[in-house]
Amino acid sequence: MSEPVTVRALTGPELEAALDDVARLRITVFRDWPYLYDGSLEYERQYLQTYRDSPGALLVAAFAGGRLVGASTSTPMEDHAEAFAEPLRQIGLPVENILYGAESVLLPAYRGQGLGHRFLDLREDHARALGRRHVAFCSVLRPDDHPMRPAQYRTNDAFWTGRGYRPLPGVMAEFGWKDVGDAAETKKPLQFWIRAI
């Protein structure tokens, strides 16, 4: 049985102090389908700089035995990468009303215990505290016939829909990373999901 998990909302210096652990967790969890991310600490430190720089950033951190086993990050939409804000501007959504949930990662041994709900609860509470009207995030799109797709793979769509999130039809972002087994970074299509809070 897994160790008991405590979940904390971290901001400011506490958030910054945890970012190297978040980097290692992202590298581990996102290596699996559907992200297939071949990450490095150097890339992660550059990517996670957003959370150091944004006063409105949030890290929901799940700890077991003092070790980070799950993390959910958010920033005001205008503080995240422009590649994510622009598709929302193009459909007339004011980005200053949106909290962007960049990722939620959780080690497999701790899944199925309600932590995903806790991550979203605290993210949505943070959005309300910042006066945001919407929470949005993106999910990577991969072809159904991708050779690395596991036979028993299930998307998180039912979970997200059950939480009140809906995909924004045709609203996509593109973001690049290096896939496992590839020599170079390639851009991936990402589907926007959103919920009014």
Side-chain angles (χ1 to χ4, degrees):
M1 180 165 171
S2 303
E3 299 164 277
V5 176
T6 58
V7 176
R8 294 176 54 214
L10 307 179
T11 58
E14 283 189 309
L15 179 156
E16 186 166 353
L19 287 179
D20 275 357
D21 289 336
V22 172
R24 286 185 276 275
L25 190 62
R26 279 175 36 89
I27 290 168
T28 299
V29 173
F30 282 154
R31 191 169 182 85
D32 291 338
W33 180 267
Y35 290 90
L36 303 175
Y37 169 54
D38 187 10
S40 69
L41 278 176
E42 180 184 357
Y43 177 97
E44 285 293 307
R45 285 181 177 134
Q46 183 178 348
Y47 170 80
L48 293 169
Q49 186 64 39
T50 296
Y51 304 103
R52 288 184 182 91
D53 295 344
S54 172
L58 173 72
L59 167 62
V60 179
F63 296 97
R67 179 175 67 117
L68 188 72
V69 298
S72 181
T73 60
S74 307
T75 62
M77 187 78 248
E78 65 274 21
D79 291 350
H80 205 67
E82 185 60 25
F84 291 86
E86 187 55 29
L88 298 174
R89 283 195 191 100
Q90 288 177 6
I91 62 164
L93 278 176
V95 296
E96 64 275 5
N97 290 336
I98 300 168
L99 182 75
Y100 183 69
E103 59 257 314
S104 288
V105 289
L106 186 61
L107 292 175
Y110 298 91
R111 294 176 190 166
Q113 301 177 26
L115 292 169
H117 287 287
R118 190 77 179 118
F119 285 173
L120 288 180
D121 289 343
L122 291 173
R123 179 183 280 174
E124 292 162 9
D125 288 349
H126 187 66
R128 289 183 193 97
L130 293 177
R132 302 285 156 148
R133 296 182 188 150
H134 294 90
V135 174
F137 63 85
C138 286
S139 63
V140 67
L141 297 179
R142 296 278 191 178
D144 289 340
D145 62 352
H146 191 289
M148 294 183 76
R149 182 187 174 97
Q152 305 303 318
Y153 175 70
R154 277 185 330 167
T155 70
N156 289 319
D157 294 8
F159 170 66
W160 296 328
T161 301
R163 288 290 309 217
Y165 290 85
R166 299 290 179 265
L168 282 169
V171 183
M172 312 286 285
E174 276 195 333
F175 199 70
W177 64 85
K178 189 162 84 74
D179 278 0
V180 171
D182 286 357
E185 185 177 291
T186 54
K187 289 198 170 180
K188 319 297 191 294
L190 300 159
Q191 170 66 59
F192 268 99
W193 290 69
I194 197 163
R195 178 189 172 190
I197 57 166

